[in-house]
Amino acid sequence: MSLSLAAREQEGRIALVGLGREGLASLCAGLGLKPFQVSEIYRWIYGRRVLDPLAWTNLPKEARAALAARTSAELPEVTGEQVSSDGTRKFLLRLSDGQAIEAVFIPDGNRRTVCVSSQVGCAVGCAFCLTARMGFRRNLTPGEILGQFFVLEERTDIREVGYNAVFMGMGEPMANRTNLEAALAILEDEEGLGISWRRITVSTSGLADQMEAFARSAVCPRLSLSLNAPTDELRSRLMPVNAKCDLRRLRSVLQNLSRRDRERISLEYILLGGVNDGQEEAEAVARFAKGLKVKVNLIQFNAAEGLPFVPSDAERTRSFQAVLLRRGVPTSIRKSRGQDILAACGQLARNNWPGGGA
Ligand code: SF4
């Protein structure tokens, strides 16, 4: 959970990034500022990314000085960067309590994507994921989620070029839904970071109750369900979360979404050689997807030391896709990026860094 303003005050200065309109209004209480001036502050921080109150030139000088004295422009600190041969860049970020997360910048021609984390570690325990090996440390605050965007904008050209954002880094976003929604409200706000919901995808392992609530929220962008197996037996082996939210439950969540919400959904399927990539599984995925009008993204598994799987070969991958297409399910094969620096899907874990991270 994010800290309340009072709690943060007790710790010293208040971190500006992460405060929504309400938080800013209470920060400004007693400074004699009008509501429109609080809105100005919001635009300075998020619209213009200016975190120094002394530079907020359209506010009275005394208010600026008071705000400078009580706030901090704290962002995650970059303590490592790795660059892949394909241009992907992975950043190791240290948070104020010393915990570390990763965020990834993925350029592709003129297209830019950033992959960000929602938790330190993860409790879900997917068998094919290195983050799972870290276990769960804690949720990120709204400010720490947003801080990754500030840092990546500073270090890359994404702000000029425009970018897509995927919540597919460390953590299960639905297990940190309150803070995620607070961050998305600022991310998607035209006066905030101004990234359209159409350009944001949140990936989940399938926490059904949270997915339902999230889909109803005003900030829900595109949602991606990490399916990875078409039977409960296999899915429970790969993703223990399936024992709590099985395929029948997940399918009914998707089915009950409004048409508009369903158009925002995709299914992710990591192809594990000889495990979930056969024709039989492809037929079963097609049956699962039938009638849901969802798109399927096939993802190449990224082998890593300690993970007991191999990638599906090119022929099995193509045949898997061919079955789905034949059954009328729109299916694409996602290119894997940043494999050589362990920046690809399921490879984020701070102990991949020389010296074991931060
Ligand atoms: Fe957690 Fe996602 Fe890794 Fe599963 S794949 S353990 S949900 S980070």
Side-chain angles (χ1 to χ4, degrees):
M1 290 292 293
S2 62
L3 290 172
S4 69
L5 209 54
R8 287 199 228 182
E9 256 167 348
Q10 275 172 13
E11 288 189 346
R13 289 168 177 248
I14 295 163
L16 280 173
V17 175
L19 293 180
R21 293 174 193 275
E22 267 179 39
L24 287 175
S26 72
L27 171 70
C28 295
L31 295 182
L33 295 177
K34 305 237 164 25
F36 82 88
Q37 290 173 308
V38 176
S39 295
E40 276 300 338
I41 294 177
Y42 182 90
R43 285 193 285 272
W44 275 111
I45 299 171
Y46 300 113
R48 302 186 203 177
R49 282 58 151 182
V50 177
L51 300 181
D52 177 5
L54 297 177
W56 301 341
T57 45
N58 53 0
L59 292 176
K61 218 169 167 183
E62 307 70 49
R64 280 190 266 155
L67 288 167
R70 44 170 99 154
T71 61
S72 77
E74 200 179 285
L75 290 174
E77 185 192 348
V78 178
T79 54
E81 179 181 347
Q82 293 178 348
V83 183
S84 161
S85 54
D86 67 15
T88 298
R89 293 161 66 188
K90 180 170 79 163
F91 297 92
L92 181 66
L93 306 175
R94 184 163 53 207
L95 307 174
S96 56
D97 62 354
Q99 294 284 358
I101 53 167
E102 292 178 330
V104 183
F105 161 75
I106 308 154
D108 186 10
N110 290 329
R111 196 182 151 94
R112 305 281 181 270
T113 302
V114 298
C115 175
V116 295
S117 296
S118 56
Q119 298 182 310
V120 183
C122 185
V124 174
C126 300
F128 47 80
C129 172
L130 278 181
T131 309
R133 302 288 166 107
M134 285 176 66
F136 173 69
R137 309 277 169 89
R138 68 170 175 84
N139 283 332
L140 297 189
T141 65
E144 289 166 339
I145 294 172
L146 291 167
Q148 297 171 77
F149 291 88
F150 278 76
V151 169
L152 288 163
E153 284 189 357
E154 264 172 23
R155 299 271 175 147
T156 70
D157 63 358
I158 56 173
R159 190 153 177 219
E160 300 86 75
V161 179
Y163 58 98
N164 298 313
V166 294
F167 284 81
M168 296 182 184
M170 285 181 184
E172 163 53 67
M174 288 301 106
N176 187 18
R177 189 168 61 79
T178 307
N179 291 349
L180 174 74
E181 287 180 7
L184 284 172
I186 295 171
L187 210 52
E188 295 173 13
D189 185 353
E190 276 180 16
E191 294 192 339
L193 270 72
I195 305 170
S196 160
W197 66 264
R198 291 181 178 78
R199 304 193 74 167
I200 305 172
T201 302
V202 173
S203 174
T204 176
S205 60
L207 306 185
D209 295 348
Q210 301 297 335
M211 279 171 74
E212 281 172 332
F214 187 58
R216 282 194 301 269
S217 81
V219 295
C220 182
R222 297 189 186 281
L223 198 55
S224 179
L225 170 65
S226 198
L227 183 67
N228 304 323
T231 64
D232 283 321
E233 190 274 317
L234 180 55
R235 194 164 190 270
S236 296
R237 266 200 286 142
L238 298 176
M239 305 177 72
V241 66
N242 194 69
K244 282 186 227 142
C245 303
D246 63 12
L247 288 167
R248 184 196 288 252
R249 170 84 174 102
L250 287 176
R251 197 168 190 289
S252 97
V253 171
L254 299 184
Q255 220 161 11
N256 291 334
L257 292 175
S258 68
R259 195 190 148 95
R260 165 187 161 277
D261 289 336
R262 241 183 297 149
E263 279 164 9
R264 302 174 178 211
I265 303 274
S266 58
L267 303 178
E268 306 278 328
Y269 197 97
I270 299 180
L271 288 165
L272 307 168
V275 175
N276 66 352
D277 64 342
Q279 298 285 292
E280 211 177 296
E281 283 86 17
E283 292 286 357
V285 172
R287 283 195 296 278
F288 182 89
K290 195 169 177 222
L292 291 177
K293 294 209 164 71
V294 291
K295 169 177 132 209
V296 174
N297 290 320
L298 300 177
I299 302 167
Q300 191 188 343
F301 171 67
N302 299 296
E305 212 183 309
L307 296 181
F309 302 105
V310 294
S312 187
D313 63 38
E315 203 187 314
R316 281 174 84 86
T317 302
R318 268 196 305 275
S319 316
F320 198 96
Q321 181 189 32
V323 170
L324 286 161
L325 291 175
R326 231 180 7 252
R327 301 283 175 219
V329 181
T331 306
S332 56
I333 300 172
R334 180 117 57 75
K335 264 197 288 182
S336 195
R337 304 292 308 275
Q339 273 172 293
D340 53 340
I341 55 165
L342 292 177
C345 214
Q347 293 190 312
L348 301 189
R350 71 170 197 166
N351 49 7
N352 293 324
W353 292 82

